[in-house]
Amino acid sequence: MLDDGNCDNNACFPKKIIKETEWGALTSSEREDLFKLSVCRKYQVGEMIFHQADECRGLYLIREGLVSVRKQCLDGSEVIIRLARGGDTLGYRPFLADQPHLASAQVMQNSLICFFAASQIKKILLENPHFGFEFLQREARELGDAEERFQQTVSQSVRIRLIHLLLVLNQYYGMPIQKGSLDLELPISRQDMASMIGIRVESLSRTIKHLTDDGLLNFSGRHVRIHNLELMAEEISY
Amino acid sequence: MLDDGNCDNNACFPKKIIKETEWGALTSSEREDLFKLSVCRKYQVGEMIFHQADECRGLYLIREGLVSVRKQCLDGSEVIIRLARGGDTLGYRPFLADQPHLASAQVMQNSLICFFAASQIKKILLENPHFGFEFLQREARELGDAEERFQQTVSQSVRIRLIHLLLVLNQYYGMPIQKGSLDLELPISRQDMASMIGIRVESLSRTIKHLTDDGLLNFSGRHVRIHNLELMAEEISY
DNA sequence: CGCCAGGTTGATTTCGCTCAAGCAATGTGG
DNA sequence: CCACATTGCTTGAGCGAAATCAACCTGGCG
């Protein structure tokens, strides 16, 4: 699936990405300009794309793969801010705010990622208002998500938060098997799931057990079978 | 200080706001256009500016005063997302994301607030890239703040979160009295402080007591005296 | 004066964390 | 091939921080 080393620069904006992301707002000449200086390469699982506190040098467009964005404290604890997939762009927050990275990005699944220098992007941003507008919309939605998550984490139990997480992961990794029930192949470890909802891995394990005991689902490693989606979704009607 | 009813439209962009906020990116003719259709008026304490789930009709510029932005669950619990003061603009998140309001805005102190219709703003946004860019930067910083707060709330104790809150409020309401010590006139109730850091009001009360017992500060109603700012700030070095 | 909202305090419970052990799957070096 | 780490996950026991429930102040206001 992934080709080795640097990819053909022409391949850096597949149709799907042009169609579905902010990069579609570019003119073809702007796209060409970007191509010339872009660096696209394959990343292996575990590789870091950037580190918290690093200066932000530009944007990373994920063509394929999975990347986690995480913040860590000095005390060692860490929180996963979000997962990024094909089509997602990393680093625009620090780039736009003119701040260093406030989080680290680590590859979770082998990925193909294109880098665009900040200076290039800035140039386009000032020339093409549509591009900026797309970014505005994306940021606004993301800010909404962040506030939503804040509220949920503060006021909901671990059980509810886990169900929420599963429902979100279902959107990307779920495979319906019959009416109401579905299979889910988790892309991340227990540890990382715990970090996403701000709890310890032991608590996650126990909560999974409770959901299992209640007959809502079955875990087997990273494979989940959800027996009754609606029943589960009912719990989070807040 | 505040004049009654609608203000003179010319007064809707005081110099301070032009100088320090995204509205400074407008040309004077754009400013004039906005004036014509803006609605500026005085709000009393307790008034709602908009409600969660309302359609977003435009932006609210706070000229003076204090406004809380809060999200509530069905179960009655609520979280304060942020406090907005003179110079702050409300409603741009739902406006840009093209979503309904995901939070309510309530006046905490008598305020003077200008409303600009969404259509007007959209027009300017497409014509003036600088204006959009200012919004981009603001959103990016705010997203960073939201992620920071998420991490802190998830991984820090109530004590640390309260100290954080006091240090933030200090930036706006603190009055140094001598080296290291200062007075702080809180603009909000205990209930609202608790909502800002995601705890119950009883827990807040107890935590205040602990800080007092430790000799860090003294509360008397909404008046706080912080004896040793550095000592307090040391606790949050993470 | 009584009332009430805002705030504090106390008693109790609960949820999630910590620490510790165990287990299965996978890897590694002799 | 075995002995042995290592890693990811689960389980248990005990603890502690914050929530809950309830009572009680306190000051302002009709």
Side-chain angles (χ1 to χ4, degrees), chain A residues 131-142:
Chain A
F131 185 53
F133 192 68
E134 290 289 326
F135 263 110
L136 265 176
Q137 292 198 312
R138 166 174 263 266
E139 266 195 310
R141 281 190 301 266
E142 207 136 331

Side-chain angles (χ1 to χ4, degrees), chain B residues 67-81:
Chain B
V67 174
S68 67
V69 181
R70 48 186 83 209
K71 286 173 82 83
Q72 39 230 125
C73 297
L74 287 189
D75 68 355
S77 70
E78 66 175 16
V79 170
I80 293 188
I81 297 297

Side-chain angles (χ1 to χ4, degrees), chain B residues 201-212:
Chain B
V201 67
E202 300 96 320
S203 299
L204 175 65
S205 207
R206 280 182 244 275
T207 309
I208 287 174
K209 194 169 195 300
H210 294 152
L211 293 179
T212 307

Side-chain angles (χ1 to χ4, degrees), chain B residues 78-124:
Chain B
E78 66 175 16
V79 170
I80 293 188
I81 297 297
R82 70 181 217 267
L83 294 180
R85 273 163 279 265
D88 288 335
T89 299
L90 295 181
Y92 66 86
R93 199 213 56 78
F95 165 68
L96 294 168
D98 208 14
Q99 290 173 343
H101 286 289
L102 295 177
S104 310
Q106 186 176 27
V107 175
M108 299 276 96
Q109 290 173 356
N110 289 348
S111 299
L112 182 55
I113 297 174
C114 298
F115 173 78
F116 308 117
S119 57
Q120 287 278 302
I121 304 289
K122 197 154 274 170
K123 184 165 150 277
I124 296 175

Side-chain angles (χ1 to χ4, degrees), chain A residues 154-167:
Chain A
V154 154
S155 56
Q156 312 274 52
S157 69
V158 164
R159 181 184 173 103
I160 301 296
R161 283 188 265 161
L162 174 56
I163 293 180
H164 261 290
L165 176 60
L166 291 174
L167 292 181

Side-chain angles (χ1 to χ4, degrees), chain B residues 8-117:
Chain B
D8 175 8
N9 272 335
N10 281 324
C12 279
F13 281 114
K15 284 219 177 63
K16 195 162 147 47
I17 284 182
I18 292 178
K19 225 169 194 150
E20 297 178 4
T21 73
E22 56 268 39
W23 299 100
L26 296 187
T27 66
S28 50
S29 88
E30 285 167 339
R31 237 173 271 150
E32 266 176 45
D33 285 355
L34 261 188
F35 289 164
K36 283 176 198 146
L37 291 168
S38 72
V39 182
C40 299
R41 76 171 179 90
K42 203 174 154 184
Y43 285 74
Q44 299 297 325
V45 171
E47 260 191 273
M48 301 301 295
I49 302 173
F50 52 78
H51 286 87
Q52 203 166 334
D54 278 358
E55 181 198 353
C56 173
R57 303 175 186 282
L59 303 185
Y60 297 85
L61 167 64
I62 304 174
R63 278 196 51 177
E64 317 175 0
L66 182 66
V67 174
S68 67
V69 181
R70 48 186 83 209
K71 286 173 82 83
Q72 39 230 125
C73 297
L74 287 189
D75 68 355
S77 70
E78 66 175 16
V79 170
I80 293 188
I81 297 297
R82 70 181 217 267
L83 294 180
R85 273 163 279 265
D88 288 335
T89 299
L90 295 181
Y92 66 86
R93 199 213 56 78
F95 165 68
L96 294 168
D98 208 14
Q99 290 173 343
H101 286 289
L102 295 177
S104 310
Q106 186 176 27
V107 175
M108 299 276 96
Q109 290 173 356
N110 289 348
S111 299
L112 182 55
I113 297 174
C114 298
F115 173 78
F116 308 117

